[in-house]
C-alpha cells in the first residue's frame, strides 16, 4: 500500500501532466482521480481545492529546477561549461515542449486567476534560471547589468522558441533557438 506522501506525490505528478497536456481550466479533480487511480474522495485528504494542487505542481517546477542547477554547479567549475550544460539539459525537453508548450509558462498563465500563489511560485523558475545564467556570465567577466540583460535575452529566446515551435509543430525552430542561446551565452572566441 502506498504511503501518504507517495499518494500526494502521485496526485501532484498526475495533475502536472494533465495541466500541461489538457490545460488547468479543463482538468477537473475527477480527471486527476481517474488518471492517478486514487479515488476522488481521497484527493480531498491531500488537497482541498484544485488551487492547492496547482501550488503543489508549481513546487515541483521549482524543486526540479533547483535540482538541475545544483547538478550543473557540481558537474563543473567553469562558467562557460556550466552554461553549456544548462543548454544541454534544456535540449532534453525539446520533443515534449514542441508537443505541449512550456509547462512552466502555461502554469503561470493558467494558475494566475484561480491560484495566484501558484502562478508566482511557478514564475520563480524563470527567476532561478535568470539568476543562474547572470551569475555564470558575471563569472566570465561580464558586467552585472550586461549579464542580467543577456540572461533575460537567453530565457526569452528559449521561451519564444518553445512557443513558435509548438505553434508550428516544428522542432527545428526550437533547435535553432538553442543554437542562438549557445552563441549568446558562450560566444566562440575569434
Amino acid at each position: 500500500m502506498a504511503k501518504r506522501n507517495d499518494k500526494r506525490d502521485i496526485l501532484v505528478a498526475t495533475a502536472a501532466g494533465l495541466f500541461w497536456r489538457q490545460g488547468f481550466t479543463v482538468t477537473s479533480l475527477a480527471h486527476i482521480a481517474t488518471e492517478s487511480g486514487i479515488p476522488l474522495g481521497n484527493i480531498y485528504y491531500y488537497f482541498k481545492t484544485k488551487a492547492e494542487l496547482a501550488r503543489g505542481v508549481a513546487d515541483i517546477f521549482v524543486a526540479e529546477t533547483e535540482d538541475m542547477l545544483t547538478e550543473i554547479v557540481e558537474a563543473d567549475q567553469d562558467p562557460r561549461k556550466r552554461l553549456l550544460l544548462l543548454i544541454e539539459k534544456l535540449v532534453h525537453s525539446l520533443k515534449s515542449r514542441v508537443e505541449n508548450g512550456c509547462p512552466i509558462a502555461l502554469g503561470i498563465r493558467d494558475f494566475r486567476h484561480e491560484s495566484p500563489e501558484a502562478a508566482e511560485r511557478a514564475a520563480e523558475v524563470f527567476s532561478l534560471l535568470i539568476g543562474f545564467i547572470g551569475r555564470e556570465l558575471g563569472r566570465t567577466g561580464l558586467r552585472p547589468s550586461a549579464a542580467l540583460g543577456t540572461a533575460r535575452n537567453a530565457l526569452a529566446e528559449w521561451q519564444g522558441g518553445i512557443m513558435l515551435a509548438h505553434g508550428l509543430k516544428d522542432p527545428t525552430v526550437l533547435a535553432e533557438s538553442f543554437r542562438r542561446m549557445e552563441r549568446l551565452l558562450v560566444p566562440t572566441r575569434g
Side-chain angles (χ1 to χ4, degrees):
M1 180 170 231
K3 290 186 242 171
R4 177 179 186 249
N5 287 340
D6 291 341
K7 284 185 181 179
R8 185 185 192 290
D9 292 345
I10 289 167
L11 288 168
V12 172
T14 302
L18 288 171
F19 293 166
W20 189 19
R21 292 187 313 274
Q22 297 179 173
F24 177 75
T25 304
V26 300
T27 300
S28 68
L29 291 178
H31 289 127
I32 295 165
T34 300
E35 186 86 9
S36 69
I38 296 172
L40 180 58
N42 290 8
I43 290 177
Y44 295 107
Y45 179 75
Y46 303 99
F47 301 98
K48 302 296 182 222
T49 65
K50 193 165 74 166
E52 285 182 17
L53 199 46
R55 174 61 194 245
V57 170
D59 287 341
I60 285 178
F61 295 159
V62 171
E64 287 179 349
T65 302
E66 289 172 336
D67 290 347
M68 176 184 67
L69 296 178
T70 297
E71 186 180 315
I72 291 169
V73 166
E74 291 173 353
D76 205 296
Q77 294 299 308
D78 182 275
R80 287 174 178 83
K81 288 181 182 174
R82 285 180 174 177
L83 292 167
L84 288 172
L85 283 170
L86 173 64
I87 294 169
E88 283 178 29
K89 291 192 176 291
L90 297 177
V91 166
H92 288 296
S93 67
L94 185 143
K95 183 178 180 208
S96 61
R97 297 300 195 264
V98 171
E99 289 173 7
N100 300 301
C102 178
I104 300 155
L106 292 170
I108 293 167
R109 183 198 68 198
D110 293 349
F111 299 162
R112 193 159 309 268
H113 295 294
E114 201 169 322
S115 184
E117 274 186 27
E120 288 177 24
R121 179 75 168 144
E124 288 178 34
V125 169
F126 293 152
S127 294
L128 286 167
L129 291 170
I130 290 168
F132 174 80
I133 294 167
R135 281 188 302 279
E136 295 305 317
L137 288 171
R139 291 182 60 226
T140 69
L142 206 55
R143 287 184 345 270
S145 61
L148 178 62
T150 302
R152 288 178 178 157
N153 286 339
L155 204 65
E157 175 67 49
W158 177 52
Q159 285 297 298
I162 291 171
M163 184 176 289
L164 192 57
H166 175 64
L168 298 174
K169 298 183 185 340
D170 184 355
T172 59
V173 172
L174 187 51
E176 291 164 356
S177 284
F178 285 126
R179 285 192 293 277
R180 284 189 296 274
M181 281 178 68
E182 187 173 329
R183 287 191 302 271
L184 180 66
L185 297 178
V186 191
T188 55
R189 299 172 202 234

